[in-house]
Amino acid sequence: MRTESKKISKSSWPKLAVRKWLNIKSSAERFHSDYDATTAAIAKERRRSCSDRDRYVVVPDDLSEGWVMDSTSGMKKKSAPGPGTGGPDLRMFVGTWNVGGKSPNEGFNLRNWLTCPSPADIYIIGFQEIVPLNAGNVLGPEDSGPAAKWLGLIREALNSNEELDNTGQNSPKSSPRYCLAASKQMVGIFLSVWVRADLCNHVTNLKVSCVGRGIMGYLGNKGSTSISMTLYNTTFCFVCTHLTSGEKFGDELRRNLDVSEILKKTKFYHSFKSLAHPLPPESILEHDNIIWLGDLNYRLASGYDDTHELLKKNNWQALLEKDQLRIEQKAGRVFKGWNEGNIYFAPTYKYLTNSDHYVAQSSKSKIKRRTPA
């Protein structure tokens, strides 16, 4: 695996802290990948066979209806493909998980999460809080150890030689193998994009961008990590975010501001300008297709007791009517023109570790009560 980063020595900790406080970019454009995107771009230009695998079809206007509905928590911007865009009809899996600062144990298996009835062509996996959000991790050198563990587990899950059949038994795996197109970490936010191995040579213009929205509005304990890429002639942007937390009145407006600032400050810088090819997108909204995922932290605008009463009845529709994100979006204050996949599961915030019970259900102190969201 090619690594686009350097280990930071302990002696540079004070200097790095100052750079983070002043929001000075440090190796912000470096990322991890299984292959050299430059070599892939050359290979794409040289390949001129007329086999079935090189056949082009028009991407439909509703590209990704399948993968938006299958996403764990993803939002897609409404946008029609630009003139001349094209490529195969693709299926994407989008998943996001706030792991609460916990590193995976040895032998941890992600196959149950990543396995779907029809294997996807592209997997977009986002994490939040892969490291504890303490002062050392926020201000000091980046701890890439947990990220490496998660990458190993994802690779193992996607490239396992066996998978479970409909009867729950192991059977030979016939699905394609996957390679890491790119991964990027900013403190606890970690995003990785995996593509089917035979698509690697058609991925170009890989770029990353990070925006800190945490302490002082700059540091990386909150914010976004984004990956931009071109597949065939279609541009994609994947945005993994961890927005401002809090249940106080008005906190949803702070989350709205996070979204606005991320859209404004995310930039993908390209070092070349070719007259023969259009300039790749430099901002999020310039892409043909955009996926926004993560821990957005929008809560349920409902009382603690009312929420639990609706939970007992599995009344998801009534809960969704109280969802701050839906309320803010309908009011036109955030994500105007974006689509979200169907919600068909219980609130995911906040469970006791390794249980199906919410924190609020086991807390006697009103101060510690957390309304599910």
Side-chain angles (χ1 to χ4, degrees), residues 6-22:
K6 296 181 180 178
K7 186 177 180 180
I8 301 172
S9 65
K10 292 293 183 180
S11 61
S12 65
W13 197 98
K15 181 179 179 181
L16 179 63
V18 172
R19 293 178 68 89
K20 286 189 172 184
W21 273 109
L22 297 178

Side-chain angles (χ1 to χ4, degrees), residues 55 73 82 86 89 93 108 111 134 136 141 144 150 163 169 175 179 188 230 257 301 332 335 351 365:
R55 192 174 48 184
S73 178
D89 192 9
F93 176 101
F108 191 75
R111 285 172 57 195
N134 54 41
S144 60
W150 287 114
E163 63 182 5
Q169 302 296 318
S175 56
C179 62
T230 302
L257 179 60
F335 288 119
Y351 286 108
S365 172

Side-chain angles (χ1 to χ4, degrees), residues 165-332:
D165 59 23
N166 294 331
T167 65
Q169 302 296 318
N170 287 334
S171 62
K173 186 174 181 180
S174 58
S175 56
R177 296 179 65 83
Y178 299 87
C179 62
L180 177 65
S183 70
K184 182 64 178 176
Q185 176 183 356
M186 181 184 72
V187 188
I189 304 171
F190 182 55
L191 176 63
S192 65
V193 177
W194 303 76
V195 301
R196 220 176 54 216
D198 58 304
L199 294 175
C200 282
N201 286 343
H202 302 284
V203 175
T204 58
N205 300 324
L206 276 167
K207 292 291 178 180
V208 298
S209 178
C210 297
V211 175
R213 289 293 301 159
I215 301 171
M216 302 295 292
Y218 288 106
L219 294 186
N221 54 305
K222 293 293 191 295
S224 67
T225 295
S226 303
I227 295 176
S228 170
M229 74 178 195
T230 302
L231 179 57
Y232 292 101
N233 297 317
T234 302
T235 58
F236 294 87
C237 186
F238 309 109
V239 186
C240 182
T241 58
H242 193 185
L243 305 185
T244 298
S245 60
E247 296 185 33
K248 299 189 300 296
F249 178 78
D251 281 341
E252 67 275 16
L253 302 181
R254 297 171 61 200
R255 293 184 264 278
N256 294 351
L257 179 60
D258 285 345
V259 173
S260 175
E261 289 297 297
I262 289 168
L263 288 171
K264 181 171 66 175
K265 294 182 178 179
T266 299
K267 298 296 179 184
F268 304 101
Y269 297 100
H270 299 272
S271 58
F272 67 91
K273 293 184 179 181
S274 172
L275 297 178
H277 301 282
L279 188 67
E282 294 186 352
S283 68
I284 292 175
L285 296 179
E286 292 177 12
H287 291 76
D288 298 320
N289 296 278
I290 311 162
I291 299 292
W292 191 297
L293 63 148
D295 182 352
L296 276 63
N297 258 320
Y298 286 95
R299 309 302 171 88
L300 289 173
S302 179
Y304 171 86
D305 294 327
D306 293 339
T307 298
H308 276 283
E309 194 62 32
L310 293 173
L311 278 174
K312 292 177 183 178
K313 299 177 181 178
N314 291 338
N315 193 339
W316 311 142
Q317 188 56 44
L319 286 170
L320 283 172
E321 291 175 3
K322 303 290 186 179
D323 178 36
Q324 286 181 347
L325 177 56
R326 295 283 176 98
I327 294 171
E328 293 301 301
Q329 188 178 18
K330 287 181 180 179

